[in-house]
Amino acid sequence: MTTLREVYNEHVLINPEVQKEYNTITNRAINLVVDGIKSNDGLLFDLYSNIYFTGSRWDGLQVGTNRQECDVNICFDIQQESQATLKFCEDIGSPARPNFAYICLEDEPTDALEDICDEDHELGWIVSPVLLFQKMWIAGEAYLESVCNVLNIEVDDDIYSFKVETKISSTPWTLTLENENFRKIEIDIVPAIIVHANMMPRNLKQKIKRIMKSIDSSNIDLDDQGVLAISLKTDSYRFEVDCHELERKLLFRKGQAKTVVKLIKYLRNVRKGPLEKLTSHMIKTVVMHKILAVGDDDYWNNLEKPFEECTELLVEFIKRRQISDVIFKSFNILTNKIKDETYLDNMDKALRNINCLLQDGDTDILFAIGVCSFCNESFTNPDGNCDEKALKRHLEEEHDIRTWCNGGATCTCTKDANEMEVCVRALGECNPEDREKDYHCTLCDKILACHDRLVQHVRNVHKERAM
């Protein structure tokens, strides 16, 4: 019987020498682009503070070295130009997001700062996440155009030219670096505002101090906790408040905790379809909840028990349809990401099957390639890889789960025009590319094509009632 440690060493463990080379390329590419952004925009040059490396790559939670992707926040300090405060309140027409806040200026912005600000009838001048993102993107694209979308990067005394393609998806500005000598590298870049202690409302300070006490940290200086307000296009007026540095501290020196996160991520990758929308952040959050509940660092010195109990906790959370953020407890990470109940039902069923295999100690089937998540029937090609077509057909015929041909057996749902998760089964025979989500105004019969238009409609048409 294969042990968890053997699975980890063979499939999850990164090659440190290979990863070191890719880290060098990524770091140098990011620094070139950031310098280019600053050189093409005077305001961003003045506000620039630092680069914050975030996501699985930099948190030590990466699975293998085949996929080279990373997340980066370019951090700006708004208080170099104006005093500001965070204000947590819901926006009319917007889904409940307790971890989102306005950045409100105390005074009228300077002419330069006004480029990234909006004036709100109730809140006064606020920093706009959309305008900040747009300003960064324009400056970045201008820099890349000036170098013909090619970055020359030194690796081991040799210079390699990387072709750069860019795109904007649901949230980040994504750079794709390609050179025939290396795997494709994807870098997701999002601007962020540094949140100083004097910008935080009292309840946020209390949330951070609660976590710091559980970490048993002697450093409770709120300015040192790396709190950022992230500029996301999912909200036109508010920033996502991210306490990523606190999450890193929760996982720091916790024995096998990071190994548990990576093994569950690998299990998700192997099992595919019903688990593919289980994000890395969801998995990490489940383990962080276990860390807070156990409160004993020695618990994490063993691998088998924490892996089994964290998987059981994940099963329980999916069953309850609730994975709460560790900082903002009222924020449900699960249903904020996955709206479709049919997909959640399938995920629940697949995880219960996985839990049964775990209870039986059958790690060979648990981590087997090409195995159906519901009945454990195997579908592999002669080379040992998953037979995507056969698995797809099996899911449809035996479990009534349909997949789109372009997604193969790796996906049982798609995204609509507004990047919302939609179960393919619920769509029937229609083309998912033609489907748009309708946003209904609660104050009249108007139907809008996207959330931003709904918010703008409410502010323009129902201004008095909105107040």
Side-chain angles (χ1 to χ4, degrees):
M1 185 71 66
T2 306
T3 66
L4 288 177
R5 180 59 63 183
E6 288 170 339
V7 172
Y8 178 81
N9 290 340
E10 183 176 354
H11 300 287
V12 180
L13 191 64
I14 66 171
N15 183 323
E17 290 303 315
V18 172
Q19 195 55 52
K20 181 180 178 181
E21 189 172 56
Y22 280 99
N23 286 348
T24 298
I25 297 169
T26 304
N27 285 337
R28 290 176 179 172
I30 291 168
N31 279 289
L32 285 171
V33 172
V34 170
D35 287 344
I37 289 172
K38 292 190 293 179
S39 68
N40 278 278
D41 192 290
L43 177 62
L44 297 185
F45 178 88
D46 292 337
L47 296 180
Y48 174 76
S49 175
N50 62 283
I51 299 169
Y52 186 80
F53 298 97
T54 183
S56 296
R57 160 94 72 94
W58 313 110
D59 291 347
L61 299 174
Q62 180 178 335
V63 176
T65 51
N66 289 333
R67 294 186 64 184
Q68 292 296 325
E69 54 187 15
C70 67
D71 303 316
V72 175
N73 293 137
I74 303 178
C75 302
F76 301 98
D77 190 351
I78 202 74
Q79 296 209 135
Q80 293 187 38
E81 290 283 331
S82 175
Q83 290 296 308
T85 56
L86 289 184
K87 183 170 183 180
F88 288 88
C89 57
E90 293 300 336
D91 197 356
I92 294 175
S94 170
R97 295 187 178 113
N99 58 329
F100 276 65
Y102 297 94
I103 297 182
C104 302
L105 302 183
E106 293 186 3
D107 302 305
E108 187 172 332
T110 62
D111 290 342
L113 192 60
E114 193 173 340
D115 286 349
I116 59 170
C117 294
D118 276 325
E119 189 171 14
D120 184 89
H121 68 275
E122 184 177 350
L123 300 171
W125 284 97
I126 60 174
V127 181
S128 166
V130 172
L131 293 177
L132 176 61
F133 189 100
Q134 183 181 57
K135 202 166 182 60
M136 178 205 73
W137 167 69
I138 290 173
E141 291 285 355
Y143 164 70
L144 289 173
E145 184 177 350
S146 72
V147 296
C148 302
N149 281 71
V150 174
L151 297 179
N152 295 312
I153 298 174
E154 182 179 344
V155 183
D156 295 331
D157 298 326
D158 291 321
I159 302 295
Y160 294 91
S161 295
F162 287 83
K163 181 181 177 182
V164 184
E165 293 185 359
T166 66
K167 69 175 181 178
I168 296 180
S169 56
S170 58
T171 299
W173 180 45
T174 301
L175 311 183
T176 302
L177 279 59
E178 292 189 88
N179 178 285
E180 61 182 8
N181 298 290
F182 300 93
R183 293 189 181 96
K184 182 169 65 176
I185 301 171
E186 290 191 354
I187 305 171
D188 288 342
I189 301 178
V190 177
I193 301 294
I194 294 174
V195 179
H196 296 283
N198 62 1
M199 297 171 63
M200 301 179 191
R202 183 168 174 267
N203 62 345
L204 178 58
K205 293 178 180 179
Q206 291 174 334
K207 287 180 173 71
I208 294 173
K209 288 178 179 179
R210 172 178 57 83
I211 297 296
M212 292 307 298
K213 286 181 180 179
S214 66
I215 299 172
D216 194 26
S217 172
S218 58
N219 178 19
I220 57 172
D221 185 347
L222 295 177
D223 274 332
D224 291 339
Q225 306 313 321
V227 181
L228 298 175
I230 310 298
S231 171
L232 302 178
K233 300 196 305 302
T234 52
D235 199 300
S236 297
Y237 304 98
R238 297 178 298 166
F239 289 77
E240 179 184 11
V241 179
D242 183 37
C243 302
H244 194 90
E245 197 63 27
L246 280 180
E247 296 179 354
R248 279 186 175 160
K249 290 175 180 178
L250 264 178
L251 290 164
F252 184 63
R253 292 181 179 174
K254 292 296 186 295
Q256 302 300 318
K258 289 186 178 181
T259 303
V260 170
V261 173
K262 289 187 280 188
L263 274 171
I264 296 177
K265 286 175 64 176
Y266 176 67
L267 180 60
R268 171 204 63 189
N269 297 345
V270 168
R271 288 279 166 165
K272 299 189 175 182
L275 300 184
E276 194 161 64
K277 303 306 176 186
L278 189 64
T279 67
S280 298
H281 186 219
M282 293 178 194
I283 295 169
K284 182 177 73 170
T285 299
V286 171
V287 175
M288 288 192 294
H289 276 295
K290 190 66 177 179
I291 289 172
L292 291 170
V294 171
D296 180 9
D297 289 356
D298 291 339
Y299 169 86
W300 299 98
N301 292 336
N302 175 268
L303 177 57
E304 283 72 18
K305 183 178 179 181
F307 177 79
E308 180 178 330
E309 293 188 352
C310 284
T311 304
E312 290 174 350
L313 186 61
L314 174 60
V315 173
E316 179 61 28
F317 283 174
I318 300 299
K319 181 180 178 181
R320 286 161 36 191
R321 304 294 195 263
Q322 180 83 28
I323 300 179
S324 299
D325 186 84
V326 294
I327 308 293
F328 300 92
K329 291 187 174 182
S330 61
F331 180 54
N332 188 348
I333 300 171
L334 178 65
T335 55
N336 180 70
K337 175 66 177 176
I338 306 174
K339 309 288 184 182
D340 185 76
E341 186 62 29
T342 304
Y343 188 86
L344 288 170
D345 281 340
N346 291 332
M347 182 183 286
D348 186 10
K349 186 188 299 184
L351 281 170
R352 282 188 276 115
N353 176 52
I354 285 171
N355 199 39
C356 289
L357 293 173
L358 193 58
Q359 296 296 324
D360 294 340
D362 201 340
T363 53
D364 289 330
I365 295 180
L366 186 65
F367 291 99
I369 302 293
V371 169
C372 173
S373 293
F374 301 105
C375 65
N376 304 318
E377 187 173 346
S378 179
F379 301 90
T380 56
N381 293 316
D383 61 4
N385 292 320
C386 175
D387 186 340
E388 297 276 344
K389 291 183 178 180
L391 179 54
K392 171 191 170 183
R393 186 167 57 251
H394 169 79
L395 287 171
E396 180 176 351
E397 294 176 355
E398 298 298 327
H399 303 291
D400 195 25
I401 295 177
R402 300 174 181 86
T403 57
W404 296 104
C405 57
N406 61 351
T410 64
C411 186
T412 57
C413 72
T414 186
K415 288 186 177 181
D416 64 18
N418 299 293
E419 297 294 325
M420 303 296 290
E421 304 293 347
V422 178
C423 181
V424 171
R425 183 179 176 186
L427 293 180
E429 297 302 321
C430 70
N431 185 347
E433 294 180 358
D434 294 335
R435 181 181 172 89
E436 290 189 358
K437 182 176 177 63
D438 292 333
Y439 288 83
H440 295 259
C441 176
T442 58
L443 302 176
C444 69
D445 295 329
K446 185 76 172 176
I447 299 175
L448 291 304
C450 71
H451 162 258
D452 286 352
R453 292 179 186 174
L454 173 60
V455 172
Q456 199 60 52
H457 161 77
V458 172
R459 293 187 173 195
N460 292 340
V461 179
H462 307 293
K463 184 175 181 180
E464 293 183 2
R465 293 179 68 185
M467 292 175 62

